[in-house]
Amino acid sequence: MNKIVEKLEAWKDIFLKNIPNLAIALVVLVIAYFASRAMNKIVNKTIGKRISQKSVRDLVSRVASAITILVGLYLAMTVLKFDDTLKTIVSAAGVSGIVIGLALQGTLSNTISGVVLSFRRNLNIGNWVETSGYSGEVMDINLNYFVLKEADNNMVVIPNKTILESPFKNYSLTTKMRIAIECGVEYGADLEQVEALTKKTISANFNQDKIGKNVEFYYTEFGDSSINFLCRFWVDSENALEKLKAKSKAIIEIKKAFDKANINIPFPMRTLEFVPNNKLNLSQVSKEEKKKEKEEESVY
């Protein structure tokens, strides 16, 4: 019993002796708490102009707030002279962090990739992009995944790591897009007339002077049934859907112009030639087939 009393008195003396340090540590923790809240708001407001994703803004601001709290905790434990305890906690946290990091490697990789993607200036919500075999409008860049809305209104969810490690095409980075039309005309057509008419039709429907470009026209090959050509022109567009609309309109207008000028767009044909005086005896063929069938039946 005496030993317990002595121990309690020793603890009382230590407590009374460290009251000033406890008061200072408590003040440091209170300051750290309010500083962390202020840091959360400041960081959220500062990065809000650059990051439109709320989830990523919250993550960054919470990390900044947690760092502030940890700094305050470190200072408070230093004031209380808990250096050895602090070293033990840090060592244990380091080992635990390695284990947790290995267990959640994929999740952490996607989270970090989401933060990196959020800071990219060449990729934003609302852009029309093509990546990993998918094409659509960027709807969200979350902490773990990337959401695309395709032209057929389906949502595609892709891990952030895949987007970060794969090349992507962003149609929204440029306001001009080149359209290529491939077609063919009959061998008897006037090729110079075809070229002039195609250029005139495209220029009339797509203002190339406003864009500062010219219509390009090239004959490419002598095909089986036609002489093929390639026509290229430019349109104001920021997504693949506008490109498809422009290409569809160009095909319709070229077909109308060719029909009006009696220029034929041929389809694949096969020509059969029979050698003169070489008659085909159908009755003889029929007899030979029946004879062959009887021979096969006798075998079975």
Side-chain angles (χ1 to χ4, degrees):
M1 188 67 181
N2 292 331
K3 291 182 178 180
I4 296 175
V5 173
E6 291 177 358
K7 194 69 174 177
L8 291 174
E9 289 180 354
W11 285 356
K12 184 183 70 172
D13 293 338
I14 294 173
F15 176 75
L16 294 175
K17 183 179 179 181
N18 287 291
I19 285 178
N21 292 338
L22 286 172
I24 295 173
L26 183 61
V27 171
V28 169
L29 289 176
V30 171
I31 294 175
Y33 171 75
F34 287 105
S36 67
R37 294 186 61 180
M39 182 64 70
N40 192 328
K41 294 180 181 179
I42 292 172
V43 172
N44 208 331
K45 185 177 180 180
T46 302
I47 66 175
K49 299 177 181 178
R50 299 190 60 183
I51 302 177
S52 57
Q53 295 83 359
K54 183 178 183 300
S55 57
V56 178
R57 290 202 308 266
D58 291 342
L59 174 68
V60 176
S61 59
R62 285 170 184 170
V63 169
S65 178
I67 291 174
T68 306
I69 287 289
L70 289 175
V71 171
L73 182 62
Y74 172 78
L75 294 175
M77 295 188 73
T78 303
V79 170
L80 294 173
K81 299 179 180 180
F82 288 163
D83 296 342
D84 295 336
T85 305
L86 183 61
K87 291 178 182 179
T88 304
I89 294 174
V90 171
S91 301
V95 175
S96 301
I98 294 174
V99 175
I100 294 172
L102 292 174
L104 302 176
Q105 185 177 3
T107 303
L108 292 175
S109 178
N110 284 324
T111 301
I112 295 172
S113 299
V115 175
V116 174
L117 288 174
S118 299
F119 282 97
R120 276 193 169 184
R121 294 184 178 181
N122 56 1
L123 185 62
N124 294 297
I125 292 177
N127 290 166
W128 190 279
V129 302
E130 182 178 329
T131 181
S132 303
Y134 301 99
S135 178
E137 181 183 358
V138 180
M139 302 302 295
D140 188 21
I141 304 176
N142 216 310
L143 291 179
N144 294 315
Y145 52 83
F146 184 93
V147 182
L148 278 182
K149 182 180 181 181
E150 294 187 302
D152 57 4
N153 206 38
N154 286 325
M155 296 292 185
V156 182
V157 180
I158 308 173
N160 288 331
K161 182 181 178 182
T162 303
I163 301 296
L164 193 64
E165 295 179 350
S166 303
F168 63 88
K169 183 189 293 185
N170 192 339
Y171 291 94
S172 301
L173 293 181
T174 57
T175 57
K176 298 180 181 64
M177 193 176 296
R178 189 170 67 178
I179 312 295
I181 301 291
E182 295 182 4
C183 188
V185 293
E186 61 185 350
Y187 273 86
D190 185 340
L191 299 185
E192 293 181 351
Q193 179 190 8
V194 171
E195 179 179 355
L197 181 59
T198 303
K199 287 184 175 180
K200 180 180 178 182
T201 303
I202 294 298
S203 298
N205 290 276
F206 304 94
N207 192 344
Q208 299 299 286
D209 293 335
K210 180 181 177 181
I211 301 175
K213 302 289 184 178
N214 296 319
V215 179
E216 301 177 38
F217 185 97
Y218 308 100
Y219 285 106
T220 56
E221 63 175 348
F222 292 97
D224 294 336
S225 306
S226 62
I227 298 178
N228 300 326
F229 66 83
L230 171 67
C231 179
R232 298 191 299 198
F233 60 97
W234 295 79
V235 295
D236 288 321
S237 175
E238 294 184 4
N239 58 61
L241 186 59
E242 293 297 326
K243 179 180 179 180
L244 289 175
K245 290 180 180 179
K247 190 171 184 178
S248 177
K249 181 180 179 181
I251 291 174
I252 293 172
E253 296 301 329
I254 289 175
K255 179 65 168 58
K256 286 181 180 179
F258 282 6
D259 289 344
K260 189 175 182 180
N262 294 322
I263 298 174
N264 185 34
I265 301 176
F267 49 85
M269 296 182 294
R270 292 289 182 269
T271 303
L272 301 178
E273 295 185 1
F274 294 93
V275 180
N277 301 323
N278 188 4
K279 297 181 179 180
L280 184 62
N281 193 335
L282 298 178
S283 61
Q284 182 67 26
V285 172
S286 178
K287 290 179 180 180
E288 290 179 356
E289 289 180 352
K290 290 180 179 180
K291 183 179 179 181
K292 188 175 180 181
E293 289 177 358
K294 289 181 180 180
E295 291 176 354
E296 290 177 354
E297 290 176 357
S298 63
V299 171
Y300 290 106

